[in-house]
Amino acid sequence: MDRIDAMRAFVAVVTEGSFSNAANTLQLSPQLVSKYVSKLEEQLNIRLLNRTTRKVSLTEAGNHYFGHAQQILLSIDDMESQLSGLQQNPKGVLRISAPVSFALRHMAQLITDFQMRYPLVTVDLQLNDRKVDIVEEGFDVALRIGQLKDSSLIAKQVAPIRVVLCASPEYIKNHGILDKPEDLEHHRYLHYSYMNMDAKEDIYQLLKAKVLKQGSEFRSNNGDVLVAAAIAGAGLVLQPTFIISEALSSGKLVVVLPELEPKPLGLYAVYAHRKLLPHKVRCFIDFMEGYYGSLPYWDECIAKSQPFSTK
């Protein structure tokens, strides 16, 4: 008896809820599925399933074995998928969801380079700052920024995302330098609507308290609009450097209260956990890895930038 086939039969019985349903899924006879499971129990010398005329249920040992069996079968299928993919070019439509500002500034070249390597893949890139439901909305991959919470999705970090508080030199000259965190209370703040209000770091807590107490003079769900307003002298803005690097390097914006800069967030490629990941998705995930570098190019030009000073 093939141990893998027996393991696959056992997992199918548990997943489908009965021997007959498992047989339909595997396109085998119920008798053969039952034989596979019985032989597996015989080899392991332990009962995996409790059988009655009305239903089957896992024993304690069966429950333990089921989790391991699933992982083994997923690994086997994944390996076979990768080996198969080496022999063929990825093709088809690749649907990607990405944040608006990041995609507008940094994804055109990525997609162009990807399609030069894989010309049979058609890319459908949809821009949206809300967190789309990948499965329900039919996306293959979503790019997300932040500290991701646990979920059933698989997330692979693509690049670090630095976030800084900044303002225009003109604004600071008109409204005063910020010497300490408490000074935030007396300054205009341009609020990003999707900011994680539950983040525990000091800068987020201070801005959250300011918003809850005083509101904000200007809020938007788009970072580019807020940055443009900050350049025009409207107030302070907390935004990622992939948006503001050009303004920082040119001096249109300067970093304030650098001691409050939070730990970098991450740019993640997120995709559904599938038994057989389509080759086009795997190729895109692998292509993105390292594409922007450990120090992304948008940070290279501001790596030596200094906070505002009157000296």
Side-chain angles (χ1 to χ4, degrees), residues 155-166:
K156 188 169 187 178
Q157 184 164 338
V158 175
I161 300 295
R162 182 184 172 195
V163 179
V164 297
L165 184 68
C166 55

Side-chain angles (χ1 to χ4, degrees), residues 57-260:
S57 62
L58 286 167
T59 64
E60 182 179 355
N63 186 61
H64 183 73
Y65 185 80
F66 176 67
H68 289 285
Q70 274 191 313
Q71 291 303 313
I72 291 170
L73 293 174
L74 285 171
S75 296
I76 292 172
D77 290 341
D78 188 52
M79 176 189 65
E80 291 178 348
S81 178
Q82 290 186 52
L83 293 175
S84 175
L86 294 175
Q87 306 302 322
Q88 57 184 339
N89 291 321
K91 56 185 177 181
V93 178
L94 179 67
R95 297 197 71 230
I96 306 169
S97 173
V100 177
S101 294
F102 183 83
L104 289 174
R105 292 170 177 269
H106 304 292
M107 286 195 69
Q109 190 64 56
L110 168 73
I111 298 301
T112 300
D113 292 345
F114 175 74
Q115 290 189 298
M116 287 181 66
R117 181 176 296 184
Y118 302 108
L120 298 180
V121 177
T122 299
V123 174
D124 179 3
L125 177 63
Q126 299 293 316
L127 308 188
N128 202 317
D129 285 333
R130 70 177 175 84
K131 291 184 178 180
V132 301
D133 187 315
I134 295 177
V135 177
E136 289 294 326
E137 299 181 48
F139 286 101
D140 295 298
V141 183
L143 298 187
R144 291 181 180 169
I145 295 170
Q147 301 289 358
L148 297 189
K149 299 178 180 179
D150 292 337
S151 74
S152 60
L153 301 175
I154 306 301
K156 188 169 187 178
Q157 184 164 338
V158 175
I161 300 295
R162 182 184 172 195
V163 179
V164 297
L165 184 68
C166 55
S168 69
E170 179 185 2
Y171 171 84
I172 295 176
K173 288 177 182 178
N174 291 335
H175 295 82
I177 294 176
L178 288 82
D179 292 318
K180 54 188 181 299
E182 293 76 13
D183 292 339
L184 283 171
E185 184 176 352
H186 309 295
H187 282 265
R188 291 172 58 88
Y189 166 56
L190 314 178
H191 181 60
Y192 180 57
S193 303
Y194 290 146
M195 186 183 84
N196 181 8
M197 301 292 278
D198 296 325
K200 301 302 181 184
E201 293 183 85
D202 289 345
I203 184 61
Y204 297 114
Q205 291 300 306
L206 288 166
L207 293 177
K208 176 181 178 180
K210 180 175 176 62
V211 169
L212 293 177
K213 181 180 179 181
Q214 303 173 343
S216 61
E217 288 74 13
F218 181 15
R219 66 176 62 212
S220 175
N221 64 353
N222 181 266
D224 279 289
V225 173
L226 296 175
V227 169
I231 292 173
L236 307 174
V237 67
L238 181 72
Q239 282 294 305
T241 53
F242 67 74
I243 296 179
I244 60 174
S245 61
E246 183 178 343
L248 287 174
S249 60
S250 65
K252 294 179 180 178
L253 292 176
V254 292
V255 176
V256 297
L257 296 176
E259 68 274 14
L260 290 181

